Amino acid sequence: MEQTMKGYLFRLLNHEELTREEMKSILIGITHSEYPNEQITALLTCLQMRGVTVDELLGFRDGILETGVPAILQADRYIDVVGTGGDRKNTFNISTTACFVIAGAGYKVAKHGNYAATSVSGASNVIQHHGIKFTDDIDRLNRSLNEAGIVYLHAQLFAKAMKYVGPIRKALQFPTIFNLLGPIVNPSQPKCQLLGVANLDQMRLYNSVYQKIGIDYGIVNSIDGYDEISLTGDFKVTTNSYERIFSPKDLGFDIAKPEELVGGATEEQAAQIFDAVLENRALPAQKNIVLANAGFGIQVLEKGKKSIEECIAIARESIDSGAALRTFRKFVELNS
């Protein structure tokens, strides 16, 4: 096996691309401890310096899904709302909050997430803060999806391959292909996804990835570098059917100030903002940002057949009527 990796590394040093199948077999080899850490480090560094191709990313995705624990959900159409992270803006849990607003509006959601990497509070932090116990028990997961309309999939229980590269990623201290995988390895493989990316290069990469996977998607990026719709300025949206730059005013929103998005200095403060939005007592900017992200998520679920104004109105009703909060309370009851 070592000889094979040597061949791969020579090809990468020669600026060649690896195939989807080769990348899948490398990932599986990593989980079988077939390569020394030095070779894995060299591989990740080569890929990062050249830039990952669509097929290389999909090959690692195939390997992670094959070596991981699947989550077979009893629902045909549901969405995941997620950001790539790494924008270093330390925002509150916008996509996680948006997920409960979408579920409160009567849609199904399978949120995939992890502990924070670059902010104070990741999705798993805010969920666990409310007393949720993570599980990979499929009956419990399906009960949550059917009775609360939403299920939470804690990444570490499902993507078994990640533990083999954890120490290497930590030692490298720069982003690698594994940072790009999080959004596309939801173990339930949803047919709908809203993804926030931190730059337009990532938007192009994931646009091609989603087209190859064949799902309904929306990819959003705030031009000033947020990996979600921040309403701090113009933002770009790419979906199966359109590509467009919006301003907050296009959607009837005021421009938000960056300080209104900050998740605070502690997990506790981030959880307080999450609660405030669902309880409809947050700052107007905080509520609006969640409405915007939830609205575009709903539009993906509706296959683009509803206007974004209609979709934001549906999200607003979910918060204003208390449905989003009731959904969250039911979710806590079922998962604590």
Side-chain angles (χ1 to χ4, degrees):
M1 260 301 177
E2 225 168 288
Q3 181 55 42
T4 320
M5 179 57 95
K6 187 177 172 185
Y8 292 143
L9 290 173
F10 271 116
R11 282 169 56 198
L12 287 171
L13 287 168
N14 205 30
H15 307 289
E16 292 176 42
E17 296 173 5
L18 302 184
T19 67
R20 185 168 175 172
E21 270 307 310
E22 286 168 337
M23 289 293 282
K24 178 182 174 182
S25 101
I26 289 170
L27 192 283
I28 293 170
I30 288 171
T31 67
H32 294 161
S33 304
E34 287 168 1
Y35 311 117
N37 284 355
E38 292 81 356
Q39 290 188 338
I40 300 170
T41 302
L43 174 86
L44 297 179
T45 306
C46 284
L47 288 169
Q48 194 64 20
M49 287 176 75
R50 191 205 63 210
V52 177
T53 68
V54 172
D55 276 351
E56 286 167 348
L57 188 59
L58 284 171
F60 259 29
R61 173 184 186 261
D62 295 341
I64 282 179
L65 291 173
E66 187 167 305
T67 56
V69 176
I72 313 296
L73 299 180
Q74 295 159 351
D76 183 46
R77 198 164 175 77
Y78 50 88
I79 194 168
D80 186 8
V81 183
V82 65
T84 52
D87 64 7
R88 305 205 175 268
K89 304 283 193 184
N90 195 31
T91 50
F92 72 95
N93 303 91
I94 294 168
S95 52
T96 309
T97 316
C99 282
F100 285 97
V101 174
I102 292 169
Y107 300 93
K108 296 267 194 269
V109 179
K111 170 75 178 137
H112 181 232
N114 211 334
Y115 295 119
T118 56
S119 61
V120 168
S121 177
S124 289
N125 300 88
V126 77
I127 295 287
Q128 197 171 49
H129 185 87
H130 288 86
I132 304 306
K133 293 182 175 61
F134 301 134
T135 183
D136 60 2
D137 180 306
I138 200 65
D139 292 334
R140 287 190 60 191
L141 295 172
N142 273 304
R143 187 177 172 211
S144 183
L145 185 64
N146 291 324
E147 294 185 25
I150 183 167
V151 63
Y152 187 74
L153 305 168
H154 177 56
Q156 292 176 15
L157 294 178
F158 297 91
K160 298 299 184 187
M162 291 301 199
K163 69 179 180 206
Y164 294 93
V165 292
I168 297 171
R169 292 177 69 195
K170 204 164 188 173
L172 283 175
Q173 295 198 341
F174 58 74
T176 68
I177 183 172
F178 286 100
N179 294 71
L180 298 171
L181 282 163
I184 53 172
V185 292
N186 183 319
S188 73
Q189 298 189 46
K191 293 177 184 166
C192 306
Q193 190 156 32
L194 184 74
L195 171 67
V197 296
N199 59 60
L200 296 178
D201 285 342
Q202 286 184 354
M203 182 173 269
R204 282 187 285 274
L205 176 69
Y206 285 110
N207 195 33
S208 301
V209 164
Y210 285 136
Q211 285 173 2
K212 280 209 169 185
I213 297 173
I215 64 171
D216 293 323
Y217 65 90
I219 310 171
V220 303
N221 165 255
S222 290
I223 307 296
D224 53 359
Y226 286 90
D227 70 333
E228 51 228 335
I229 299 165
S230 64
L231 300 182
T232 49
D234 290 356
F235 59 93
K236 187 171 184 180
V237 180
T238 298
T239 72
N240 303 71
S241 50
Y242 71 83
E243 190 171 305
R244 186 181 156 191
I245 291 177
F246 291 87
S247 75
K249 289 189 167 49
D250 293 336
L251 306 176
F253 293 127
D254 292 332
I255 291 178
K257 298 184 181 77
E259 57 268 26
E260 295 176 304
L261 280 72
V262 175
T266 64
E267 211 175 278
E268 172 72 37
Q269 288 172 334
Q272 284 169 357
I273 299 171
F274 172 87
D275 292 345
V277 176
L278 294 180
E279 291 167 11
N280 203 12
R281 53 179 181 79
L283 295 173
Q286 292 168 339
K287 178 180 176 180
N288 290 346
I289 287 152
V290 171
L291 289 176
N293 286 275
F296 279 96
I298 290 168
Q299 193 180 48
V300 170
L301 280 157
E302 293 283 357
K303 285 185 171 284
K305 290 179 180 141
K306 280 187 161 64
S307 72
I308 190 56
E309 291 77 13
E310 284 177 274
C311 295
I312 288 170
I314 291 168
R316 190 183 297 280
E317 175 64 15
S318 176
I319 293 181
D320 290 353
S321 68
L325 181 60
R326 285 193 297 277
T327 293
F328 180 63
R329 286 185 174 151
K330 182 69 178 171
F331 170 80
V332 172
E333 179 194 315
L334 289 170
N335 291 280
S336 296

